[in-house]
Amino acid sequence: MSETQIQKIADQLDEALRDARSIPPIVDQLQAGDVDTAYAIQEINTARALAEGRRLVGRKIGLTSQKVQAQLGVDQCDFGMLFADMSVDENGTVPFGKLIQPKVEAEIGFVLKSDLTEGALTLVDIVNAIDYAVPCLEIVDSRIADWQISIVDTIADNASSGLFVTGTEKVDISALDLRLCGMVIELDGEPVSLGAGAACLGNPLNAVKWLAETMVRSGRPLKAGDLVLSGALGPMFPAKPGDSFEARISGLGSVRVQFETDTALAETA
Amino acid sequence: MMTNDLQDIAATLDNAMFSATATPQLGGTLSLDDAYAIQAMSFDRRLERGEVRVGMKMGFTSRAKMVQMGVDEMIWGRLTDKMLVEEGGSISKADYVHPRCEPEIAFLLKKPLAGRVTALQAQTAIEAIAPAIEVIDSRYENFKFSLTDVVADNSSSSGVVIGAWNSVPDDISNLGMVLSQNGKAVEIGSSAAILGHPIRSLIAASRLVEERGEVLEAGSIVLAGGATAAIALSAGDKVKLDVEQLGRVNFSVEP
């Protein structure tokens, strides 16, 4: 595939993100399963964002559930870039119009205290590099119409990143049972997504290790201070205007977000 | 419906259970009162055979399950000593029609609970809490049933494996649960799936048994309800449940 073609697809995704409208799957424009080209497309938009002065604050790991991997017919995770302007205040309100088809998922956010620059890492390295954990609600969104994504669609589309909300209390990971910690997302008080740490590659630290090694290979290694959204602990759930979500993760506390109501949309229209 | 008719249905369901043979659904003419009357009559037959009541189980304790079944109330069934499976032990698949299992939390009561109780009353009545795997088995063909069908069939209860009893942790509202089959995690969830908080299931249990003229006795076991979807069991299966803070339960399935 030519660089011009790759650039064209990156431009399509970038415009879709800016305009908050979806485009048809891009998999039709490249070979199914061509993960390298998909990451090349993502990287064009990462470079574009950095050139515009957006601040890179971390990464998200996607496809960390065996069920989701099976649905997409893949046996690996993927990653996307987190920029400071994607962060939503705790218990903040999300403007629905900036999003296309948002869904929420709950996960553990890890903040690093040291760089991870070695290409071969152990879980001991990961444990040593983590400063603290926070509960997170990730608001995923897809620029691909109706979430009809294949692996290359989501990778090229920054791993279907949207926005994210982090809790505000630092928790030492030695206080957590990372495999068995319970997770629940409540919509207006009703449980809508349930899970536990094991849903993320058996243990969220397995996902962080995969990411750290992958980032070294990709040339953007994880650095001290980076936030890593390690992957959903249960199914994602679609959000509507007016919804209020609270995610609780055992040992980590809770984090909240609200989606703008239809009335607010009408006022801004 | 006439008592004799209800007795006949109770006998049919009891025989289906005892012989591990599927029976047709009952059809739509039963009221919920009839269904619970059949369950009680069928249960009496077990007691006449020498079984001893040890507690009760709650069913349909997740909103998703209620929506799926088109109902807005939980159901319950009765447990006997014969249904208790030794932790680390095995069941024989031949003793069941089409067994499934699901991860649960079990309460052991130190005080009786009757009628409408507060969360505080429910909490102070708990002696201990344990991780548990419920073996469910519908006596109906293809595991298909209506609300009244399943209530008449003792709410599909057929066995339970209970792990070590623990003192109650400060917060049981969101305990992670991982159900593994042959070493592979197959269902992952949280105790929050049980009505948002398992204590609500105990409160509901007290209210529901009173509607049938009963109380939850001291010393009885209350299974709070499944925390994930149930999994089908096959001969040779090794099943394990890990519950955050509560520990592990194992059992295996023989032919």
Side-chain angles (χ1 to χ4, degrees), chain A residues 34-35 43-44 62-64 103 133 141 145 148 191 201 208 214 219 241 269:
Chain A
D34 186 355
V35 165
E43 174 58 25
I44 288 172
L63 311 181
T64 51
K103 300 183 182 190
D141 199 10
Q148 293 297 310
L201 286 191
V208 179
T214 305

Side-chain angles (χ1 to χ4, degrees), chain B residues 29-193:
Chain B
T29 56
L30 289 176
S31 68
L32 194 60
D33 285 342
D34 288 340
Y36 275 108
I38 293 167
Q39 183 190 124
M41 291 168 181
S42 182
F43 192 76
D44 284 342
R45 296 169 63 95
R46 301 182 71 130
L47 299 182
E48 283 160 20
R49 288 197 295 270
E51 295 181 35
V52 177
R53 182 162 179 180
V54 297
M56 62 92 81
K57 64 153 274 180
M58 294 290 286
F60 296 175
T61 50
S62 86
R63 188 68 58 186
K65 187 82 177 186
M66 283 187 221
V67 169
Q68 185 193 328
M69 294 301 301
V71 298
D72 57 4
E73 183 60 286
M74 289 144 272
I75 60 172
W76 63 281
R78 295 164 166 91
L79 303 175
T80 72
D81 58 340
K82 190 166 177 248
M83 297 181 193
L84 298 175
V85 179
E86 189 179 326
E87 199 284 314
S90 62
I91 63 167
S92 175
K93 189 162 189 284
D95 291 341
Y96 301 82
V97 183
H98 28 216
R100 299 176 181 179
C101 75
E102 55 190 27
E104 301 239 359
I105 281 177
F107 294 115
L108 177 65
L109 300 186
K110 62 183 170 194
K111 291 194 248 179
L113 283 173
R116 289 184 181 273
V117 296
T118 64
L120 181 62
Q121 286 169 320
Q123 204 172 320
T124 52
I126 301 170
E127 169 77 15
I129 181 171
I133 303 175
E134 186 185 4
V135 180
I136 56 171
D137 191 23
S138 174
R139 267 54 67 162
Y140 300 109
E141 291 161 355
N142 305 314
F143 226 107
K144 287 214 167 15
F145 44 72
S146 68
L147 178 66
T148 50
D149 287 340
V150 66
V151 166
D153 184 29
N154 204 15
S155 296
S156 302
S157 73
S158 65
V160 59
V161 196
I162 299 179
W165 290 101
N166 297 258
S167 53
V168 185
D170 287 344
D171 184 0
I172 60 167
S173 70
N174 188 22
L175 302 175
M177 303 172 87
V178 179
L179 184 69
S180 303
Q181 190 174 27
N182 304 318
K184 187 171 178 289
V186 286
E187 290 292 338
I188 299 174
S190 158
S191 61

Side-chain angles (χ1 to χ4, degrees), chain B residues 1-13 26 29-31 33-39 41-42 45 152:
Chain B
M1 197 176 267
M2 301 293 289
T3 304
N4 282 348
D5 297 333
L6 299 179
Q7 284 285 8
D8 287 347
I9 299 172
T12 302
L13 286 168
L26 303 179
T29 56
L30 289 176
S31 68
D33 285 342
D34 288 340
Y36 275 108
I38 293 167
Q39 183 190 124
M41 291 168 181
S42 182
R45 296 169 63 95

